[in-house]
């Protein structure tokens, strides 16, 4: 997926603001499943562990099989239309963002037309669908990892202690991360074949960040052509190999400026710059502040 700058900014902003709260978590198992048409004010994440389930979401109909994940979204009408055999469907109702009225909002079982004005005001925005592009039904290769987070979340919900909010947020965030990565795997199936190779080149960059690394050398490590390596690297890490190295160098520089007594000249040399002038120029361009000003911030000078 090629994102515009605005779309990428919206995505980053949302990822920083995610603060999920679980409204209900239930390890539901049933030989019969009846759910009349309704809308939700929040999200429901359902994992089909066993059985076969037919659902309708707005005008679309799906036959769910084990491993399928459904994200019922705020305001989208849905219903269960059929079930084959016993269905195991652990699920969780949650808000993706923090809302002060979290505890006031119930799980809804009515259609939109039957909701009062006050109830309609509880409707959350669908940020996961609109900004993260999460579909209603997900068939992703890492679905079992999602299930491994969902089960302990349900157990923790059933035994809620005072510190449950910390655990439920961490598990929900991990599940959202796994969903995003699973969808990315589906979209970039070719890059999956080269995951280890790409990771190896990043390790090489980290271990040799103070040296001049040729693109051709990295592509040989990955056993890919320069063109395909560059494309797949940027697809996975969001930046070019050269930019990745420059960013890593500057992070190392900041670490040395904060925790060592080295001079700027020594730091510049240590991280691979030909001169302190070249280092200072690159640092200010990336960070918006000169290295000496950065050092003063942490030294108290």
């Amino acid at each position: 997926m090629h994102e515009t700058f605005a779309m990428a900014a919206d995505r980053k902003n949302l990822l920083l603001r995610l603060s999920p709260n679980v409204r209900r978590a239930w390890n539901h198992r049933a030989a019969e499943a009846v759910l009349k048409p309704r809308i939700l004010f929040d999200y429901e994440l359902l994992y089909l562990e066993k059985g076969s389930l037919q659902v309708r979401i707005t005008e679309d109909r799906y036959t769910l099989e084990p491993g399928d994940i459904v994200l019922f979204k705020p305001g989208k009408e849905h219903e269960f239309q059929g079930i084959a055999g016993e269905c195991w469907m652990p699920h969780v109702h949650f808000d993706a963002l923090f809302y002060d009225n979290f505890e006031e909002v119930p799980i809804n079982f009515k259609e939109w037309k039957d909701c009062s004005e006050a109830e309609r005001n509880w409707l959350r925005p669908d940020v996961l669908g609109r900004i993260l592009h999460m579909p209603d039904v997900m068939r992703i290769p890492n679905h079992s990892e999602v299930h491994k987070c969902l089960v302990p979340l349900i157990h923790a919900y059933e035994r809620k202690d005072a510190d449950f909010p910390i655990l439920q947020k961490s598990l929900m965030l991990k599940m959202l991360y796994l969903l995003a990565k699973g969808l990315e795997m589906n979209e970039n199936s070719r890059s999956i074949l080269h995951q280890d190779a790409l990771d190896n080149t990043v390790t090489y960059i980290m271990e040799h960040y103070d040296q001049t690394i040729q693109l051709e050398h990295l592509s040989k490590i990955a056993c890919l052509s320069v063109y395909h390596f560059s494309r797949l690297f940027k697809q996975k890490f969001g930046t070019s190999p050269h930019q990745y190295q420059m960013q890593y160098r500057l992070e190392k520089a900041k670490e040395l400026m904060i925790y060592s007594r080295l001079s700027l000249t020594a730091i510049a040399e240590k991280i691979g710059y030909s001169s302190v002038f070249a280092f200072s120029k690159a640092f200010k361009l990336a960070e918006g502040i000169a290295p000496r000003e950065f050092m003063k911030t942490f030294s108290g000078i």
Side-chain angles (χ1 to χ4, degrees):
M1 181 190 305
H2 298 286
E3 293 184 321
T4 65
F5 178 80
M7 291 169 61
D10 286 345
R11 182 184 180 90
K12 181 178 180 180
N13 180 264
L14 173 61
L15 295 180
L16 292 173
R17 292 191 302 118
L18 285 175
S19 181
N21 278 322
V22 172
R23 184 162 283 105
R24 181 178 182 181
W26 191 18
N27 193 13
H28 188 201
R29 299 182 179 185
E32 295 183 2
V34 177
L35 182 64
K36 295 180 179 179
R38 68 163 179 176
I39 62 102
L40 294 173
F41 306 126
D42 58 355
Y43 289 99
E44 179 186 346
L45 180 71
L46 182 148
Y47 180 93
L48 189 61
E49 185 177 353
K50 178 182 177 181
S52 179
L53 179 66
Q54 293 181 347
V55 300
R56 177 184 65 81
I57 303 175
T58 59
E59 303 301 320
D60 298 315
R61 288 171 170 77
Y62 303 91
T63 298
L64 306 179
E65 302 297 335
D68 286 348
I69 298 169
V70 188
L71 183 63
F72 295 112
K73 298 170 181 173
K76 292 191 78 169
E77 186 179 278
H78 59 273
E79 65 176 315
F80 291 176
Q81 294 187 319
I83 189 171
E86 184 179 34
C87 272
W88 295 7
M89 38 192 167
H91 62 272
V92 56
H93 286 267
F94 68 99
D95 282 339
L97 305 175
F98 174 79
Y99 296 96
D100 289 331
N101 67 344
F102 167 74
E103 294 183 343
E104 300 172 23
V105 179
I107 296 172
N108 189 52
F109 290 92
K110 296 187 290 188
E111 296 180 63
W112 179 256
K113 64 181 177 63
D114 297 323
C115 295
S116 67
E117 187 64 28
E119 290 171 327
R120 293 182 180 188
N121 288 332
W122 286 329
L123 187 70
R124 308 311 198 193
D126 178 22
V127 293
L128 300 182
R130 181 173 58 84
I131 299 177
L132 298 189
H133 308 295
M134 290 188 176
D136 299 328
V137 175
M138 289 170 267
R139 291 174 175 168
I140 53 178
N142 61 339
H143 65 85
S144 61
E145 295 181 63
V146 177
H147 182 250
K148 287 178 182 177
C149 288
L150 183 55
V151 171
L153 174 57
I154 293 170
H155 289 167
Y157 177 85
E158 293 171 342
R159 301 161 177 77
K160 282 185 287 190
D161 60 20
D163 297 322
F164 173 71
I166 300 174
L167 180 59
Q168 59 97 19
K169 283 183 187 292
S170 65
L171 289 173
M172 278 305 311
L173 285 171
K174 185 173 182 180
M175 280 195 286
L176 293 175
Y177 171 81
L178 292 170
L179 291 175
K181 288 302 169 186
L183 293 170
E184 183 181 308
M185 290 178 193
N186 284 346
E187 187 171 339
N188 304 320
S189 57
R190 287 191 64 186
S191 67
I192 298 171
L193 301 174
H194 307 294
Q195 290 286 345
D196 289 343
L198 292 171
D199 287 340
N200 288 339
T201 62
V202 166
T203 299
Y204 186 88
I205 290 173
M206 291 178 172
E207 292 175 348
H208 302 83
Y209 67 90
D210 59 334
Q211 303 172 18
T212 300
I213 305 174
Q214 299 297 329
L215 185 61
E216 290 79 4
H217 184 61
L218 291 174
S219 66
K220 285 181 180 178
I221 293 174
C223 298
L224 293 166
S225 70
V226 171
Y227 170 76
H228 283 101
F229 168 69
S230 298
R231 184 174 61 82
L232 291 173
F233 190 98
K234 189 166 186 178
Q235 198 174 66
K236 178 174 173 63
F237 298 105
T239 187
S240 71
H242 176 71
Q243 290 170 328
Y244 191 99
Q245 183 184 20
M246 295 304 101
Q247 291 167 4
Y248 192 76
R249 276 183 175 181
L250 294 181
E251 288 303 313
K252 282 293 181 181
K254 285 190 276 188
E255 181 181 330
L256 292 170
M257 285 190 282
I258 295 171
Y259 296 110
S260 79
R261 295 182 178 274
L262 295 175
S263 67
L264 282 180
T265 300
I267 290 173
E269 181 180 352
K270 192 174 183 65
I271 65 172
Y273 279 90
S274 58
S275 68
V276 68
F277 174 77
F279 164 63
S280 298
K281 184 178 179 181
F283 189 92
K284 188 170 184 179
L285 184 64
E287 302 295 327
I289 185 175
R292 292 193 186 280
E293 293 300 316
F294 179 87
M295 293 177 74
K296 287 180 182 179
T297 302
F298 291 93
S299 66
I301 297 175

